Amino acid sequence: VLFSLSPGEIVVNEVNFVRKCIATDTSQYDLWGKLVCTNFKISFITDDPMPLQKFHYKNLLLGEHDVPLTCIEQIVTVNDTKRKQKVLGPNQKLKFNPTELIIYCKDFRIVRFRFDEAGPESAKKVCLAIAHYSQPTDLQLLFAFEYVGEIYHNPAKKVNGIDPGGGGGSIGSASGQQTPLFETYSDWDREIKRTGASEWRVCSVNEGYMISTCLPEYFVVPSSLADQDLKLYSYSFIGRRMPLWSWNHPNGSALVRMANIKDVLQQRRIDQRICNAITRSHPLRSDVYKSDLDKCLPNIQEIQAAHIKLKQLCVNEPFEETEEKWLSSLENTRWLEYIRSFLKHSAELVYMMECKHVSVVLQEEEGRDLSCLAASLIQVMLDPYFRTIVGFQSLIQKEWVMAGYQFLDRCNHLKRSDKESPLFLMFLDCVWQLLEQYPAAFEFSEMYLTILYDSARISLFGTFLFNCPHQRVKESTEFAISKNIQLGDEKGLKFPCVWDWSLQFTSRDRLLFHNPLYIGKSAPCVQNGAVKTFKRSKKNYSSTLRGVPPALKNGIISEQEFLPRRNSLILKLKPDFLQQTESQSNSMEQYFRDWFAKPVDLHGVILPHLSGTQIKLWKLCYFRWVPEAQINHGGFITAFHKVSLLADEVDMLNRNLRQYKSNSSLQGSCSELDQSRMYFRANSLNDTSEAPDFLSSSFPFSPVGNLCRRSILGTPLSKFLSGAKIWLSTETLANED
């Protein structure tokens, strides 16, 4: 078997004659091979074909059995004879020779190796090496630094011939367009023009991170605020995080993020100044509505606690013990409740911008956690550009990467942070809920969202590695000096960007990112300085696309009265703005009622359905490694397959029609035929292709060899889903009965 190493990757330790366990109840399917630990991943190299597995989605950076070190959650070593087991931390000693190694992964996988035939000392060394390298003590020990260092010294070694930084400004995406990274003045300026925010400007007071180390170098502020004032006000904000503009509604309302003002004496004055400036940037001089996210959304500790309970439920609990009370156990995790609260609050703020025509300020202590999630969701609901692949990627760059979401701490890449919290996963889950409810409104598929989540666990990409852009510059400049790398004019090292999907997948595999149900529309753009923003299209789509309208109330309106925040300008500016809390609540309720009564405009606003059954568990993401939760020839992928064939057939007919009209030669059409947008293709126009044998509810992932349950013997659900057949022959099942 070929074992390839990326640039800068070295083998640290290895052991031969290792068994990888494939089933919990029998060793007959186990694979024999070599377990290798490198400074990037753990690999299992075997010549044995994978039993029972019909399909494998290939990542170009990782082999079939590989786990990136940053994806490892916990390492457990076991000695059967001494009946000992130990969770291995970094730099720990191991007093017994392990007979078994169990690796718990952050993506809910569990991988198990046996050392019965391996040399005991070698086995122990590999376990200690994995523990050491998967729990680095310093950011510069993460693999991305080794990789980039090697590339700068040997440019010929680029993976797939791609420049590690992707050339600075923008990164090509699956659709061939560029993803703006918002590292430059011009990216922000283009976004101002795209959204028609004429009274806002790009500000460069933070160039070289002179004012705040946790803000980007360029960001957008009201035109009426001078740089001098901003510098002065910055001292009063936590982390010197001045207000950040996120987006502008076509009606002129702006979405702004703001950290708390720590200077109590100055608080009222500065607050007033900034809100006045935001008001002046509104064409109608409308008021500002402030939402204190710390008061109305779950905090990061609660979200982390819910995630731990969810993992417990999806990974560790044997099915037979939890099956009867599974739904109540799921409810007790509070994960879905928190998803509902983020969607609900974002929808309420959509109403304020869309209907009340007021600018919304998202206030949060540091302004770099809950506001990343809320700001992103509001924009996904309001702007169809962010529901395209390139738009969505630019949204994550703008509201997460550049706005200083602390990926290093929240993803806990160094395994020692008490600040871990899966906010980014919760955001992707919220987007998945909207995709599930409005499948024709999104250009990307749920596979894309799942793979994006996985990519945050690969320590090669700079995108999800740092707490803020300044940290990348500072740490990589230090690293460059220590390795004698000449940076020239560059600000820090350029790391590979996650939006460069060709680093991970072939162009054929990247087609799985495309949602065949998407009803596209040309993306908004700036041409010759003229702005073309999105407008509600007159076209009405069939309401069947989004199912039956739910109960009118729909669970969107909050029980608590919708009062303005205590220090909100609304109270001081126009007393008639909120004459009665009740009428405010009623008009919001009316807005939602009216919206849900009409057919949805896929290129306009989309709002979430929030009643009990409409917020679901994202099964592909959380259940893909659980063998008995896998439905063979079932799950959403079967519909995805059929729709892909239909979409491909329509494309083919269109091409034939164009060819017929232009009477062009046959050669031209052949090259066009290869350019299908779909992963699954119709072979001919009268093709009634059967679904491929390898389709299952886990597609494109395979749960084979991922032991997410203690035992599957005799579980009613596994028999019902015939999931057990993956593991056991039908006779075994018959004998059990």
Side-chain angles (χ1 to χ4, degrees):
V1 170
L2 286 170
F3 175 58
S4 60
L5 294 170
S6 300
E9 187 178 5
I10 51 166
V11 172
V12 179
N13 221 308
E14 56 184 53
V15 56
N16 283 305
F17 309 116
V18 175
R19 270 192 311 158
K20 180 178 180 183
C21 304
I22 296 299
T24 25
D25 320 286
T26 170
S27 59
Q28 74 179 86
Y29 300 122
D30 289 0
L31 303 178
W32 287 93
K34 179 199 285 190
L35 182 61
V36 179
C37 171
T38 77
N39 56 345
F40 170 48
K41 62 181 187 268
I42 56 166
S43 285
F44 179 71
I45 303 155
T46 178
D47 287 324
D48 299 345
M50 189 68 153
L52 321 163
Q53 180 174 305
K54 295 167 181 155
F55 178 83
H56 174 61
Y57 190 50
K58 187 167 168 33
N59 186 313
L60 302 173
L61 296 171
L62 299 164
E64 187 170 0
H65 303 280
D66 296 0
V67 179
L69 295 175
T70 23
C71 188
I72 295 174
E73 177 97 60
Q74 200 178 59
I75 298 150
V76 180
T77 47
V78 182
N79 182 303
D80 289 346
T81 46
K82 294 185 177 171
R83 295 199 166 179
K84 285 186 173 174
Q85 69 173 41
K86 178 170 183 160
V87 176
L88 275 187
N91 307 321
Q92 281 191 329
K93 290 190 168 67
L94 192 53
K95 289 179 179 164
F96 57 83
N97 291 328
T99 53
E100 191 176 348
L101 169 68
I102 306 168
I103 291 171
Y104 292 85
C105 306
K106 290 186 174 180
D107 60 4
F108 291 24
R109 269 183 298 175
I110 301 176
V111 191
R112 197 166 119 215
F113 300 101
R114 298 275 315 170
F115 301 123
D116 302 309
E117 312 294 324
E121 279 303 311
S122 311
K124 184 194 276 192
K125 280 180 184 160
V126 156
C127 294
L128 291 169
I130 293 170
H132 179 73
Y133 279 86
S134 65
Q135 302 173 81
T137 49
D138 188 78
L139 173 57
Q140 291 178 31
L141 295 171
L142 289 172
F143 176 66
F145 285 87
E146 287 303 324
Y147 172 85
V148 174
E150 184 70 17
I151 295 289
Y152 273 86
H153 285 307
N154 302 294
K157 280 192 173 179
K158 290 171 192 165
V159 170
N160 312 337
I162 277 142
D163 175 49
S170 315
I171 290 291
S173 78
S175 57
Q177 277 176 286
Q178 298 288 295
T179 297
L181 299 181
F182 292 97
E183 288 172 355
T184 58
Y185 185 100
S186 55
D187 279 351
W188 287 102
D189 198 45
R190 267 193 296 274
E191 187 65 3
I192 285 178
K193 290 193 172 81
R194 188 188 74 79
T195 57
S198 53
E199 297 297 314
W200 296 78
R201 65 180 182 91
V202 186
C203 140
S204 47
V205 291
N206 201 36
E207 248 175 1
Y209 306 100
M210 296 299 287
I211 305 280
S212 171
T213 52
C214 54
L215 282 180
E217 287 192 280
Y218 306 99
F219 50 92
V220 175
V221 296
S223 301
S224 61
L225 277 182
D227 283 1
Q228 264 330 96
D229 291 338
L230 283 167
K231 281 181 188 170
L232 205 60
Y233 298 155
S234 72
Y235 291 99
S236 303
F237 288 96
I238 290 177
R240 296 192 71 177
R241 287 179 65 88
M242 291 165 277
L244 293 177
W245 171 90
S246 287
W247 184 78
N248 242 58
H249 193 287
N251 68 23
S253 305
L255 180 63
V256 182
R257 297 167 55 165
M258 194 160 104
N260 286 350
I261 299 169
K262 57 183 179 187
D263 185 342
V264 183
L265 298 171
Q266 300 287 329
Q267 187 174 11
R268 198 182 177 91
R269 187 178 66 87
I270 292 171
D271 209 31
Q272 186 88 43
R273 283 276 173 88
I274 281 161
C275 289
N276 285 345
I278 295 171
T279 295
R280 245 177 274 147
S281 294
H282 197 298
L284 305 174
R285 301 291 184 263
S286 278
D287 301 315
V288 175
Y289 178 77
K290 284 173 83 174
S291 171
D292 187 339
L293 301 182
D294 293 318
K295 286 183 185 160
C296 49
L297 288 171
N299 63 39
I300 58 169
Q301 291 82 12
E302 288 170 324
I303 293 167
Q304 171 67 355
H307 185 247
I308 289 168
K309 285 182 190 163
L310 179 70
K311 185 181 292 184
Q312 200 63 25
L313 189 63
C314 293
V315 174
N316 295 335
E317 301 286 351
F319 248 32
E320 60 268 36
E321 288 172 24
T322 53
E323 201 178 335
E324 289 165 28
K325 51 182 192 298
W326 206 86
L327 286 173
S328 57
S329 305
L330 176 62
E331 197 179 339
N332 291 339
T333 66
R334 305 191 74 182
W335 182 258
L336 296 183
E337 177 193 325
Y338 294 159
I339 287 198
R340 184 180 284 108
S341 61
F342 274 103
L343 287 166
K344 175 171 178 280
H345 191 66
S346 303
E348 287 167 353
L349 297 176
V350 163
Y351 159 78
M352 297 306 285
M353 293 180 76
E354 168 90 352
C355 216
K356 288 287 171 193
H357 297 201
V358 296
S359 291
V360 166
V361 172
L362 303 174
Q363 185 133 24
E364 185 192 6
E365 186 169 9
E366 286 187 52
R368 53 197 296 201
D369 278 306
L370 305 175
S371 58
C372 297
L373 214 167
S376 305
L377 275 183
I378 291 167
Q379 289 169 77
V380 167
M381 289 178 198
L382 280 167
D383 189 342
Y385 170 63
F386 295 125
R387 306 198 281 266
T388 66
I389 291 175
V390 169
F392 188 68
Q393 293 178 171
S394 78
L395 179 71
I396 291 172
Q397 275 293 137
K398 176 166 70 89
E399 299 298 341
W400 295 78
V401 181
M402 297 316 286
Y405 176 71
Q406 301 168 82
F407 281 103
L408 183 70
D409 291 344
R410 299 289 180 250
C411 298
N412 202 6
H413 292 317
L414 300 180
K415 313 280 194 306
R416 57 202 170 92
S417 167
D418 51 356
K419 300 174 186 167
E420 184 173 2
S421 189
L423 272 150
F424 186 59
L425 171 63
M426 182 153 272
F427 165 60
L428 296 178
D429 199 327
C430 289
V431 172
W432 176 81
Q433 304 288 341
L434 292 168
L435 167 65
E436 176 78 1
Q437 293 177 15
Y438 303 101
F442 290 84
E443 188 189 8
F444 47 83
S445 64
E446 70 167 325
M447 274 83 94
Y448 168 82
L449 291 173
T450 312
I451 287 162
L452 178 53
Y453 168 57
D454 289 345
S455 301
R457 306 264 173 234
I458 298 176
S459 58
L460 175 69
F461 305 110
T463 318
F464 302 134
L465 219 52
F466 302 100
N467 282 335
C468 56
H470 171 259
Q471 190 182 40
R472 175 186 69 79
V473 173
K474 179 175 167 288
E475 294 279 344
S476 67
T477 305
E478 281 176 16
F479 181 79
I481 293 165
S482 72
K483 298 283 180 187
N484 292 325
I485 296 169
Q486 301 301 313
L487 282 173
D489 294 337
E490 285 181 40
K491 291 175 182 169
L493 295 171
K494 287 271 178 248
F495 291 88
C497 181
V498 79
W499 314 127
D500 192 348
W501 291 108
S502 61
L503 288 171
Q504 290 191 75
F505 302 103
T506 63
S507 53
R508 166 95 174 91
D509 281 352
R510 292 200 296 275
L511 293 175
L512 268 183
F513 292 0
H514 292 265
N515 171 13
L517 288 157
Y518 178 58
I519 298 176
K521 189 182 183 186
S522 54
C525 58
V526 178
Q527 281 175 341
N528 309 329
V531 184
K532 297 187 175 179
T533 49
F534 73 93
K535 289 186 173 67
R536 281 174 169 264
S537 66
K538 296 282 184 285
K539 206 184 237 178
N540 271 345
Y541 290 90
S542 152
S543 56
T544 53
L545 269 175
R546 54 192 192 95
V548 188
L552 289 178
K553 185 143 186 192
N554 196 45
I556 271 197
I557 313 305
S558 57
E559 281 70 45
Q560 58 204 61
E561 306 309 88
F562 203 73
L563 269 166
R565 301 285 161 224
R566 186 179 299 154
N567 54 357
S568 161
L569 275 186
I570 294 168
L571 295 176
K572 299 160 213 152
L573 288 168
K574 291 189 193 164
D576 61 338
F577 177 70
L578 285 179
Q579 279 181 325
Q580 299 155 305
T581 320
E582 210 170 305
S583 71
Q584 168 72 10
S585 182
N586 287 345
S587 67
M588 191 198 290
E589 214 166 315
Q590 190 60 47
Y591 167 73
F592 291 127
R593 201 177 287 129
D594 293 347
W595 191 90
F596 283 109
K598 288 194 297 246
V600 69
D601 169 12
L602 297 171
H603 300 290
V605 178
I606 58 170
L607 293 174
H609 298 281
L610 293 169
S611 65
T613 54
Q614 285 162 321
I615 300 294
K616 300 174 183 173
L617 186 69
W618 183 9
K619 294 195 187 76
L620 181 67
C621 190
Y622 307 128
F623 271 4
R624 55 191 156 145
W625 312 121
V626 182
E628 64 272 42
Q630 182 178 239
I631 308 165
N632 280 327
H633 312 299
F636 174 72
I637 191 66
T638 49
F640 184 95
H641 168 254
K642 285 276 184 284
V643 176
S644 298
L645 296 184
L646 268 173
D648 195 46
E649 206 173 310
V650 170
D651 287 351
M652 221 188 300
L653 286 165
N654 273 328
R655 285 196 292 266
N656 289 356
L657 206 57
R658 278 200 301 275
Q659 187 196 328
Y660 176 73
K661 282 179 179 168
S662 63
N663 277 328
S664 63
S665 63
L666 273 169
Q667 285 87 12
S669 71
C670 292
S671 65
E672 255 200 301
L673 276 177
D674 294 335
Q675 294 171 349
S676 170
R677 295 178 300 125
M678 296 300 139
Y679 183 84
F680 298 111
R681 295 172 191 177
N683 301 325
S684 63
L685 288 181
N686 52 7
D687 182 23
T688 54
S689 299
E690 284 301 302
D693 194 35
F694 53 72
L695 287 190
S696 80
S697 55
S698 293
F699 181 87
F701 309 96
S702 170
V704 172
N706 295 296
L707 311 171
C708 282
R709 300 286 177 212
R710 305 272 187 278
S711 159
I712 61 159
L713 282 175
T715 65
L717 188 72
S718 64
K719 289 180 186 178
F720 175 70
L721 295 178
S722 78
K725 286 180 194 167
I726 311 168
W727 302 93
L728 311 160
S729 63
T730 357
E731 296 92 88
T732 324
L733 279 173
N735 294 342
E736 273 184 62
D737 295 337

